[in-house]
Amino acid sequence: MARRSAPLLRRLVDAASPPAPQPLPGHGGGLARRTVTYMPRPGDGTPRAVTLIPGDGIGPLVTGAVRQVMEAMHAPVYFETYEVHGDMPTVPPAVIESIRRNKVCIKGGLATPVGGGVSSLNMQLRKELDLYASLVHCSNLPGLPTRHEGVDIVVIRENTEGEYSGLEHEVVPGVVESLKVITKFCSERIAKYAFEYAYLNNRKKVTAVHKANIMKLADGLFLESCREVASKYPGIQYKEMIVDNCSMQLVSKPEQFDVMVTPNLYGNLVANTAAGIVGGTGIMPGGNVGQDYAVFEQGASAGNVGNEKIVEQKKANPVALLLSSAMMLRHLRFPSFADRLETAVKRVVAEGTYRTKDLGGTSTTQEVTEAVIANLD
């Protein structure tokens, strides 16, 4: 019975099968092929609200550039803008509520008083939202000559404790005690973030930066945590380097570094040094991320507020924050918009016609912004 049914089954299958694909004209007789590489989810293209904090100094100039470019490329984001300034006693509750609701924020620099005055609002944001990882991508941009070539460093810095814990008090008049707090939980968390970033982005090496030869307990705990996490990623090379030697190696042979993971203070110093090596703080993107929220800003803190002369002349460099906004678009899962923006920015830098003073040019913020818009694909 089964043998007699086989021809009938074949005819039924043949009748139900789609016709064979026909050769495409002009393709050498090859068959038409379509490969699905990404399956959009419902709601993927829905516009997303983003909290915007213009900030102090050059902040309104560079965040204004971001708004113009986003509008020109019809990016699926819209902004909720809040005025926050570094001399405020605290971050307004409405701002925190907005970031919690939107999950994402982009901001200009906030001035932090030196010595006396209010505490840093940047630190308040990081602690309130538990933005435990700071990520700064320091790499050479095509067409921008620097002393070192082939630099492509990602600095991942623990963002909530260490010397930035804010635990200071005057023991007796003339004697101040400042506490450096290192915990196993935060050290393991930042180490896992660094190794997972390296794994997902095909990075080959993670370097832990420390001062455990002197701070044997605090930095020793940080190193111990990094080693435990490193043992779970055998395909990624793990290295340790004392921060003194790391500073020297950065300025003499920066191309040896790939991903760097650091406690709080060292990461700030390393990121700003690495930024200077590849062209300055005006071109380095960055972000602060946690489990639930992300705040994107200029990657290197030095100069993120600028000075009065730059503000008056309106010649702040918008490149860093534009690249940070490309990072934000990827975070929001809008990769095509991120690629368009990043490509346009790098094209403007490579052509060299429109550059601000820090990159050897004379252009204003608006001129660079318009050049980026003109180069959008």
Side-chain angles (χ1 to χ4, degrees):
M1 181 71 179
R3 284 194 296 272
R4 287 197 298 270
S5 301
L8 176 61
L9 284 174
R10 266 193 228 100
R11 288 198 299 273
L12 289 172
V13 170
D14 291 342
S17 299
Q22 298 300 312
L24 286 176
H27 282 71
L31 297 180
R33 290 186 179 181
R34 185 178 183 184
T35 303
V36 176
T37 57
Y38 172 64
M39 293 294 291
R41 300 174 306 165
D44 267 1
T46 304
R48 291 286 302 273
V50 173
T51 304
L52 174 67
I53 301 174
D56 298 314
I58 66 171
L61 286 173
V62 293
T63 54
V66 170
R67 295 189 72 146
Q68 290 182 59
V69 174
M70 290 291 179
E71 290 173 7
M73 68 192 304
H74 303 291
V77 298
Y78 60 95
F79 296 104
E80 296 179 2
T81 305
Y82 292 86
E83 290 297 326
V84 181
H85 301 286
D87 57 0
M88 291 180 172
T90 60
V91 179
V95 178
I96 299 294
E97 182 182 337
S98 174
I99 299 175
R100 290 190 188 280
R101 180 173 62 252
N102 299 330
K103 309 294 185 185
V104 177
C105 170
I106 190 160
K107 63 182 281 291
L110 294 174
T112 301
V114 177
V118 298
S119 61
S120 167
L121 297 192
N122 294 307
M123 284 302 302
Q124 287 186 32
L125 272 176
R126 293 167 193 166
K127 289 186 176 181
E128 183 70 28
L129 300 171
D130 194 24
L131 304 173
Y132 67 87
S134 167
L135 187 150
V136 181
H137 190 187
C138 304
S139 61
N140 292 114
L141 291 184
L144 188 64
T146 59
R147 181 169 297 179
H148 298 278
E149 298 298 331
V151 179
D152 187 8
I153 303 171
V154 175
V155 181
I156 295 175
R157 157 194 174 196
E158 205 292 318
N159 228 7
T160 61
E161 57 177 19
E163 294 85 352
Y164 285 43
S165 300
L167 301 174
E168 295 183 314
H169 64 279
E170 189 173 37
V171 183
V172 296
V175 179
V176 172
E177 186 176 51
S178 180
L179 301 180
K180 170 178 177 173
V181 177
I182 297 287
T183 64
K184 188 173 183 63
F185 172 79
C186 289
S187 298
E188 282 188 348
R189 183 169 66 167
I190 196 64
K192 287 177 182 176
Y193 185 91
F195 275 91
E196 194 65 13
Y197 178 92
Y199 175 76
L200 293 174
N201 290 277
N202 199 29
R203 297 277 179 159
K204 306 302 182 187
K205 181 169 67 173
V206 173
T207 302
V209 182
H210 66 95
K211 190 63 176 171
N213 58 325
I214 302 299
M215 285 171 273
K216 299 182 184 298
L217 292 179
D219 283 22
L221 178 59
F222 175 77
L223 275 190
E224 177 187 317
S225 302
C226 288
R227 289 167 184 166
E228 289 178 6
V229 174
S231 66
K232 300 173 183 177
Y233 292 83
I236 298 174
Q237 183 184 353
Y238 172 65
K239 189 174 182 180
E240 298 170 357
M241 191 172 291
I242 296 174
V243 65
D244 319 38
N245 182 34
C246 176
S247 301
M248 187 272 291
Q249 295 288 339
L250 261 177
V251 297
S252 60
K253 195 178 178 183
E255 59 275 3
Q256 68 181 286
F257 296 104
D258 193 351
V259 174
M260 305 175 77
V261 60
T262 76
N264 209 331
L265 177 61
Y266 309 153
N268 194 13
L269 303 177
V270 166
N272 281 274
T273 303
I277 289 169
V278 295
T281 59
I283 62 171
M284 291 301 102
N288 303 284
V289 299
Q291 187 66 38
D292 300 307
Y293 313 106
V295 175
F296 295 89
E297 59 186 334
Q298 183 171 310
S301 59
N304 65 354
V305 177
N307 58 53
E308 291 183 8
K309 188 175 181 180
I310 294 176
V311 175
E312 290 171 1
Q313 296 177 345
K314 298 184 178 180
K315 290 188 175 182
N317 190 346
V319 167
L321 201 63
L322 288 172
L323 293 176
S324 296
S325 63
M327 290 175 62
M328 178 191 74
L329 288 170
R330 287 198 181 89
H331 177 79
L332 291 171
R333 299 184 180 180
F334 299 130
S336 61
F337 287 94
D339 289 344
R340 286 177 62 202
L341 174 53
E342 198 170 78
T343 300
V345 171
K346 290 182 177 179
R347 191 176 292 160
V348 170
V349 173
E351 289 174 353
T353 305
Y354 297 98
R355 290 181 180 176
T356 48
K357 186 178 180 180
D358 58 315
L359 300 184
T362 58
S363 300
T364 63
T365 306
Q366 186 60 34
E367 288 171 342
V368 175
T369 304
E370 291 172 356
V372 171
I373 292 172
N375 278 275
L376 288 170
D377 292 328

